[in-house]
Amino acid sequence: RSLLLADNIACGVDKSESVIANRLVQLVVNGGTNVVSSYSTSRVEIAVILSILSDLDEKTTDKLLTVCETLDRVASTPTDVNDTAVVTGMNPEDSSPLASEVGTGMTSATLVSQEISQSTASKNAIETACFWTHRLVQRVPMGRCSSILLKLLAILMVGAGHADLESAKKSHNSCMFTAKALVLNEFKDVEAVRDAFLGGVVSLLQSLSQHSSWHVRETVMICLNIVMINNWSVLTVASKKQCKEVFEFGLVQDTKPEVQKLAQVGMVAYLSMKPARELQTIAEAFVRNSEALATREKKRKKAGGGSGEAKPDAVYTTTVTMMACVVLALPYDLPSYLPSLLTSLLRHVTVTAFKDMVTKTVQLFRLTHQDRWEEFKLLFSREQLEDLQGAGAAHYFS
């Protein structure tokens, strides 16, 4: 490492002339260096050398992308489902590779040993990716390592769902560290590079927003929220739309409460970035849809004799959840459209599927508006205040 640093300094601006650097690139790319070494200190040193090499020319970067592919391949070793089935006595006629090995005489002990070896290599690959990512973020301008950083981020995002808790935690923390570092003011003079990099990050996060592991989806929601807030002014319209789609999917269709809560936080942040006029237009549209849906629900209950309650459809669920987010988008303030939006939202508190969400939204609204409630309540009509009190919120809005 010391020789490499000294040689780079000696080569001045044209670092591509570094003999040691070029030899190291060849060693790494051709397999002469074990990037998933079983020794932790070796993995640290390898990550340092890789980060230094990442600051060379584009040709070197292209070669290092193959190292990322190696890390990705090793880190994403298939899960233990098939392996465990084989070890516990799956039919040797099974079509999986490991099952065929059993048929050729491989013992269960050998399979277990292979499984442990693969798991260890997977953890080592994730750790190397973590070390490399941290060094890049801290030492190399993102404009010069964006393609490598994007590949490493993909590895770490999936690693957040690793079966080994320590590896999953390292991946999760490294993803958050990287997301917080993506404040791309340094790209002011190179908008095309900035937009491509940010677009790549947002697209990557969107592609993983429906991952089978809820820990990965959890990490996606946190990181996308951070990236969106820190870079809102430079995000393209397409990237902003992708952010909305990810948060909306998490709110309405994700089945994990932890992910739903993070999606709501993200959607509230997304809406809070909107201009006041656009937010008013959105709120007014939701009020119209809400009234129509509430009337439809009332007619359905009347036709059914008040017995039973059907599960709300996707449109109904999206409307109510988005209304709750708009209510929370501007804490400590009360724009003119909010009283009608809030009272319209309260019409759905009788629907079992929405009761908790509506109640919690009202409670949060109360917490953020109680200091100026004497002033704010003047913006509500008498009927709206009665609706608030009639919904069981009298002690909040008395």
Side-chain angles (χ1 to χ4, degrees):
R1 177 168 49 141
S2 298
L3 284 172
L4 176 59
L5 285 169
D7 198 40
N8 281 342
I9 294 171
C11 289
V13 177
D14 191 4
K15 295 181 180 180
S16 61
E17 293 182 359
S18 169
V19 177
I20 296 178
N22 288 325
R23 286 296 301 274
L24 278 172
V25 170
Q26 291 300 320
L27 277 174
V28 170
V29 173
N30 296 331
T33 302
N34 183 8
V35 294
V36 291
S37 170
S38 57
Y39 298 101
S40 179
T41 52
S42 295
R43 293 195 296 274
V44 172
E45 291 300 322
I46 289 167
V48 172
I49 290 173
L50 288 171
S51 67
I52 297 171
L53 295 175
S54 303
D55 197 16
L56 299 181
D57 56 359
E58 291 183 7
K59 187 182 296 185
T60 303
T61 297
D62 292 338
K63 292 179 180 178
L64 290 178
L65 289 174
T66 63
V67 181
C68 295
E69 292 171 3
T70 300
L71 288 175
D72 188 19
R73 184 174 62 254
V74 178
S76 58
T77 300
T79 56
D80 300 341
V81 177
N82 290 332
D83 296 358
T84 304
V86 172
V87 172
T88 54
M90 178 178 277
N91 190 337
E93 300 298 323
D94 186 88
S95 59
S96 71
L98 288 177
S100 64
E101 290 175 355
V102 172
T104 59
M106 183 173 285
T107 66
S108 296
T110 304
L111 288 173
V112 171
S113 177
Q114 273 192 356
E115 180 183 338
I116 294 172
S117 177
Q118 288 177 346
S119 176
T120 301
S122 174
K123 290 187 285 186
N124 291 345
I126 288 175
E127 190 168 84
T128 299
C130 288
F131 289 147
W132 191 1
T133 301
H134 279 252
R135 292 287 303 189
L136 286 180
V137 170
Q138 292 171 339
R139 301 295 179 89
V140 182
M142 288 188 187
R144 303 179 65 170
C145 65
S146 57
S147 56
I148 295 176
L149 196 56
L150 196 58
K151 287 280 188 180
L152 291 173
L153 186 59
I155 296 171
L156 296 176
M157 291 299 302
V158 176
H162 198 277
D164 179 70
L165 293 180
E166 186 177 353
S167 296
K169 187 176 180 180
K170 285 180 180 178
S171 295
H172 176 82
N173 291 340
S174 294
C175 288
M176 289 182 60
F177 173 79
T178 305
K180 291 175 183 177
L182 296 182
V183 184
L184 301 184
N185 297 324
E186 63 183 85
F187 286 88
K188 286 181 178 178
D189 298 327
V190 197
E191 291 186 6
V193 176
R194 178 197 67 201
D195 293 346
F197 182 37
L198 273 177
V201 171
V202 173
S203 296
L204 168 65
L205 296 175
Q206 184 180 36
S207 70
L208 295 171
S209 62
Q210 300 181 39
H211 195 275
S212 57
S213 169
W214 75 267
H215 292 289
V216 174
R217 303 198 303 274
E218 176 187 46
T219 306
V220 165
M221 294 299 171
I222 295 173
C223 291
L224 183 59
N225 197 9
I226 294 171
V227 171
M228 180 189 70
I229 291 173
N230 288 345
N231 298 280
W232 180 264
S233 62
V234 295
L235 280 177
T236 62
V237 174
S239 292
K240 290 177 182 178
K241 183 180 178 182
Q242 286 177 296
C243 292
K244 179 193 171 187
E245 290 171 352
V246 171
F247 294 137
E248 188 173 329
F249 182 89
L251 262 174
V252 179
Q253 299 191 45
D254 203 293
T255 57
K256 201 70 178 175
E258 291 88 344
V259 179
Q260 291 174 350
K261 290 177 182 177
L262 290 169
Q264 184 183 39
V265 172
M267 182 59 77
V268 169
Y270 169 83
L271 291 169
S272 68
M273 302 285 187
K274 293 284 186 180
R277 184 172 296 179
E278 186 175 349
L279 205 54
Q280 179 175 353
T281 302
I282 293 171
E284 290 171 350
F286 278 130
V287 169
R288 290 193 296 270
N289 294 339
S290 170
E291 296 303 312
L293 290 168
T295 302
R296 186 190 72 176
E297 182 67 13
K298 187 176 181 179
K299 289 180 178 179
R300 188 196 65 78
K301 286 185 177 180
K302 187 176 181 180
S307 59
E309 187 171 298
K311 182 180 179 181
D313 58 29
V315 174
Y316 195 1
T317 302
T318 301
T319 300
V320 176
T321 52
M322 288 298 291
M323 288 173 68
C325 291
V326 175
V327 168
L328 300 174
L330 292 174
Y332 316 110
D333 195 11
L334 192 73
S336 59
Y337 59 80
L338 202 52
S340 58
L341 180 70
L342 183 60
T343 51
S344 182
L345 175 64
L346 281 167
R347 292 190 65 182
H348 306 285
V349 74
T350 56
V351 180
T352 304
F354 303 136
K355 183 176 181 179
D356 287 345
M357 177 175 55
V358 172
T359 302
K360 289 177 181 177
T361 300
V362 173
Q363 290 173 348
L364 285 171
F365 176 82
R366 178 251 181 174
L367 286 173
T368 56
H369 291 77
Q370 61 181 346
D371 291 344
R372 297 172 58 193
W373 181 243
E374 290 302 318
E375 172 190 346
F376 287 145
K377 74 178 183 179
L378 298 177
L379 301 177
F380 287 82
S381 67
R382 181 177 178 181
E383 291 77 13
Q384 288 172 335
L385 287 173
E386 287 175 355
D387 287 341
L388 290 174
Q389 295 171 356
H395 60 294
Y396 291 150
F397 303 105
S398 58

